Amino acid sequence: MTRSSVLVVDDKQAVTELMMTILRDGYDVTSTCDAREAMELIERREFAVVLTDVRMPGASGFDVLAAVRRRGTATRVVMMTGFASVPDAVRAMREGAFDYVAKPLDAPEVQLVVARALEDRVLGARQEPQATAVDVRFHEAVLAARHRASRNYLVALMKQSGGNVTRAARQAGMARESLHRVLKQYGVRSEDFKPPEA
């Protein structure tokens, strides 16, 4: 089976190496520490998901997002951001990014967001946050929408796998332990989806 391609863009090599470690078992991962090189890669090749830092020297995550949008592909863009620049990531979602992950990066959260982005790409239907135009409330609306989308994804995943966590983890490209952790985090119980015993 062909593995989905993921591009990781961050000016810190430690971050790209961490992301490679988190994602390499489930995906075909390419990484670069240079945003301009990332934009050149995006011009030459279609990636299923691009994970990009927001703030980088030379070119920013917004430039990477713009390069994806110019190409007009189904690529989903996920922003990686430090706590101080979460508002930048929320702005990026307004401009077409799929979602964001906050640093320090949490492996299960990264795997969950990438799995959701891939599902969204296949379905071809964006799960837009139902937010008002009021900037003060937009961040809270985005957080609520992200929580709902993640929980809905996990519920659908467990229904499809009949409550089998190993099968569900394989389908989502996640480590089994990571899936266990996010199921607990979002209050989804695998046993609720197991077929009744005959």
Side-chain angles (χ1 to χ4, degrees):
M1 186 173 79
T2 305
R3 304 204 314 169
S4 298
S5 59
V6 175
L7 174 63
V8 177
V9 190
D10 196 293
D11 60 306
K12 295 177 180 61
Q13 189 172 349
V15 173
T16 60
E17 288 175 356
L18 174 62
M19 295 295 285
M20 294 282 283
T21 301
I22 291 171
L23 298 170
R24 67 184 170 202
D25 288 342
Y27 309 101
D28 174 18
V29 185
T30 302
S31 70
T32 178
C33 294
D34 185 328
R36 295 197 184 282
E37 181 183 0
M39 291 187 285
E40 291 172 10
L41 286 168
I42 289 163
E43 287 297 319
R44 297 196 307 263
R45 174 181 169 196
E46 182 172 354
F47 293 91
V49 178
V50 173
L51 293 113
T52 180
D53 192 19
V54 175
R55 297 181 182 180
M56 295 177 283
S60 72
F62 290 101
D63 296 315
V64 174
L65 174 61
V68 170
R69 296 189 71 188
R70 274 195 307 272
R71 194 156 189 264
T73 64
T75 300
R76 296 301 189 247
V77 178
V78 175
M79 311 302 281
M80 298 184 291
T81 179
F83 180 76
S85 58
V86 163
D88 287 343
V90 173
R91 174 189 148 201
M93 290 177 69
R94 273 187 157 162
E95 295 182 13
F98 173 74
D99 206 340
Y100 71 91
V101 288
K103 296 177 180 177
L105 297 168
D106 177 72
E109 184 188 6
V110 169
Q111 291 175 326
L112 176 61
V113 169
V114 171
R116 281 182 46 230
L118 286 168
E119 181 197 43
D120 186 80
R121 183 177 188 268
V122 169
L123 294 175
R126 289 287 313 281
Q127 294 171 337
E128 296 281 2
Q130 298 301 308
T132 68
V134 181
D135 288 339
V136 176
R137 297 174 57 197
F138 189 76
H139 186 198
E140 288 76 13
V142 167
L143 288 175
R146 292 179 76 226
H147 183 87
R148 277 196 311 274
S150 293
R151 193 174 196 288
N152 290 344
Y153 172 77
L154 291 168
V155 167
L157 185 65
M158 295 315 297
K159 279 182 183 174
Q160 193 172 7
S161 69
N164 185 309
V165 177
T166 301
R167 190 182 311 140
R170 193 178 307 119
Q171 180 181 331
M174 298 176 70
R176 190 176 190 277
E177 297 75 20
S178 294
L179 181 55
H180 261 303
R181 183 169 158 187
V182 294
L183 287 170
K184 185 175 180 181
Q185 179 183 343
Y186 287 93
V188 178
R189 293 159 28 105
S190 60
E191 52 267 30
D192 291 345
F193 302 95
K194 291 181 178 173
E197 294 182 13

